[in-house]
Amino acid sequence: MDGRFVRLPRKGDGGVMRTTQQHIDADQVSHLIAEALGATGILPPMTRLEELDRALRAEIERLVLLVQRRADAKPQGSRDWYRLVQAAERAEDSLNFQMGTAPLAGAIHVAHLARHVHELREVEVIG
């Protein structure tokens, strides 16, 4: 293999999960992360949690592509390459999980996604 990632389809609801890529600016992402991480305090309504879930998933997918490109530019097997690959894989794995139907489960889920967005942003900038 040449060090590039192979994107495997993720299953969700019995089919291949596809979402539209949309760009969110840095201020919006920071606000999403803060709101998602604070969601376990006073629980927001499920409709807001669903919106956060969709937005954070789209941002993870966008950032994973950037991190993968950065990893491709690093020497395969180097420390930087592993750090980038691991961050991308952890974030992609988080997309395999669906949000629970209870507000607390939903809040925990979006907080988890937000942590991955934060990690991807950090390695993409530092990378």
Side-chain angles (χ1 to χ4, degrees):
M1 227 162 145
D2 64 358
R4 296 188 181 268
F5 289 92
V6 177
R7 292 189 54 93
L8 300 175
R10 291 181 296 275
K11 294 188 179 189
D13 300 328
V16 175
M17 183 191 329
R18 299 254 187 249
T19 59
T20 16
Q21 298 285 335
Q22 66 182 38
H23 178 69
I24 302 173
D25 71 32
D27 289 336
Q28 287 176 310
V29 171
S30 295
H31 179 72
L32 284 172
I33 290 170
E35 185 178 352
L37 290 174
T40 55
I42 297 174
L43 299 176
M46 285 302 291
T47 54
R48 182 59 186 149
L49 291 171
E50 290 164 354
E51 291 169 0
L52 286 169
D53 179 65
R54 283 189 298 275
L56 291 166
R57 284 176 181 276
E59 185 64 2
I60 285 172
E61 289 179 352
R62 184 184 77 80
L63 288 170
V64 161
L65 292 175
L66 296 174
V67 170
Q68 287 173 337
R69 281 190 212 128
R70 185 159 300 219
D72 288 342
K74 302 289 181 184
Q76 187 173 4
S78 69
R79 250 187 162 158
D80 289 336
W81 182 84
Y82 274 113
R83 186 183 69 227
L84 293 163
V85 168
Q86 292 298 309
E89 287 179 353
R90 280 191 297 272
E92 280 191 310
D93 286 345
S94 73
L95 298 177
N96 291 325
F97 297 96
Q98 299 300 314
M99 187 170 66
T101 56
L104 181 58
I108 291 168
H109 173 77
V110 296
H112 182 73
L113 292 178
R115 282 190 290 277
H116 286 293
V117 168
H118 178 74
E119 179 185 21
L120 288 170
R121 289 178 74 198
E122 189 174 87
V123 298
E124 210 289 312
V125 170
I126 295 171

